Amino acid sequence: MTKLSVNINKIATLRNSRGGNVPNLLKVAADIQDFGAEGITIHPRPDERHIRYQDAYDLKSIVTTEYNIEGNPIDKFKQMVLEIKPTQVTLVPDSVDQLTSNAGWDTITHQSYLKDVIAEFKSAGIRTSIFIDTDLKLIEAAAKTGADRVELYTEEFATQYEKGNKEAVKVYAEAAILANEVGLGVNAGHDLSLDNIQFFKQNIPYLAEVSIGHALISESLYLGLENVVNMYLHRLQ
């Protein structure tokens, strides 16, 4: 069974656009879990333009499923994660002013750095995942960092699928197979949607978890949040 973790960054973006607390991020997170989602994901950035660092702390008592915090492990981020101790931390190589994640880690060049960061998180009992492209050499190198999982960066799959190129899923399947062989769990995320998630799930072995935010929240504007969460769950079965 592939778990659905809902990224609620866009809820925070909407809240922040007017100030105040509408929509209420904590209530939305609780409701999403009540609707059946198996996890909540957030990706706080240094400028706090959507998720604020305080949100990360406040959500600790709200998330009763799996709590996944994504981000570049700068000192402030590491301190926050170590204090909160979420279920999982997903390491993403974003720059400070990054609009959205657009590349995975070079686990060869940054292997020593990742080893140190991952060891610190794992000593605190936090599951670790590395946001990564499908290059098989990078998957092999990721296994040497001590990470528990990799999260496959799926934007290229989504782009090609929309163009009708379903063959694009093959490199993701190969990456997932290799990850499993070298002892890594497999997550995936970025631009997965109701249109492509079922096909992706059916073709990717060992898929433990998907993290979906932008598409899911956008689709909910038309179809309703509870409906959309359950539509994803159905497609992931």
Side-chain angles (χ1 to χ4, degrees), residues 37-53:
E38 294 105 341
I40 297 292
T41 291
I42 60 171
H43 189 149
R45 288 186 164 87
D47 63 6
E48 298 188 292
R49 64 181 179 271
H50 35 63
I51 291 291
R52 300 167 183 154
Y53 274 65

Side-chain angles (χ1 to χ4, degrees), residues 40 190 218:
I40 297 292
H190 205 95
S218 298

Side-chain angles (χ1 to χ4, degrees), residues 134-175:
T134 56
D135 186 315
L136 299 184
K137 291 181 180 179
L138 297 181
I139 301 289
E140 290 177 340
K144 298 176 183 177
T145 65
D148 299 296
R149 297 186 181 184
V150 288
E151 179 177 328
L152 300 178
Y153 170 41
T154 51
E155 181 179 11
E156 182 62 18
F157 158 74
T159 299
Q160 293 301 318
Y161 184 88
E162 188 175 10
K163 294 177 180 178
N165 178 19
K166 294 183 178 180
E167 293 296 304
V169 78
K170 288 184 176 180
V171 294
Y172 292 87
E174 292 169 359

Side-chain angles (χ1 to χ4, degrees), residues 53-71:
Y53 274 65
Q54 186 58 49
D55 292 330
Y57 288 95
D58 293 343
L59 283 162
K60 172 66 176 176
S61 62
I62 301 298
V63 180
T64 57
T65 54
E66 291 201 358
Y67 191 11
N68 174 44
I69 302 181
E70 301 179 341

Side-chain angles (χ1 to χ4, degrees), residues 53 56-57 60 67 69 79-86 126:
Y53 274 65
Y57 288 95
K60 172 66 176 176
Y67 191 11
I69 302 181
Q79 178 183 348
M80 175 194 67
V81 171
L82 289 169
E83 289 173 354
I84 294 172
K85 293 183 173 60
I126 304 167

Side-chain angles (χ1 to χ4, degrees), residues 82-162:
L82 289 169
E83 289 173 354
I84 294 172
K85 293 183 173 60
T87 315
Q88 177 175 267
V89 58
T90 300
L91 308 180
V92 184
D94 285 343
S95 61
V96 172
D97 59 349
Q98 193 93 17
L99 179 63
T100 186
S101 306
N102 62 3
W105 283 95
D106 181 339
T107 52
I108 297 172
T109 301
H110 301 290
Q111 185 168 123
S112 178
Y113 171 70
L114 289 168
K115 276 184 179 180
D116 291 343
V117 171
I118 287 167
E120 193 170 4
F121 286 140
K122 290 185 73 172
S123 69
I126 304 167
R127 189 173 73 220
T128 58
S129 180
I130 299 175
F131 193 62
I132 199 166
D133 295 295
T134 56
D135 186 315
L136 299 184
K137 291 181 180 179
L138 297 181
I139 301 289
E140 290 177 340
K144 298 176 183 177
T145 65
D148 299 296
R149 297 186 181 184
V150 288
E151 179 177 328
L152 300 178
Y153 170 41
T154 51
E155 181 179 11
E156 182 62 18
F157 158 74
T159 299
Q160 293 301 318
Y161 184 88
E162 188 175 10

Side-chain angles (χ1 to χ4, degrees), residues 4 16 27 32 42 56 65 80 97 102 108 120 129 133 143 154 159 181 191 198 200 206 220 222 232-233 235:
L4 170 66
N16 296 353
K27 185 177 188 308
I32 286 171
I42 60 171
T65 54
M80 175 194 67
D97 59 349
N102 62 3
I108 297 172
E120 193 170 4
S129 180
D133 295 295
T154 51
T159 299
E181 288 176 353
D191 286 352
Q198 187 169 16
F200 188 79
Y206 314 114
S220 297
Y222 286 91
Y232 274 98
L233 294 171
R235 285 162 168 75

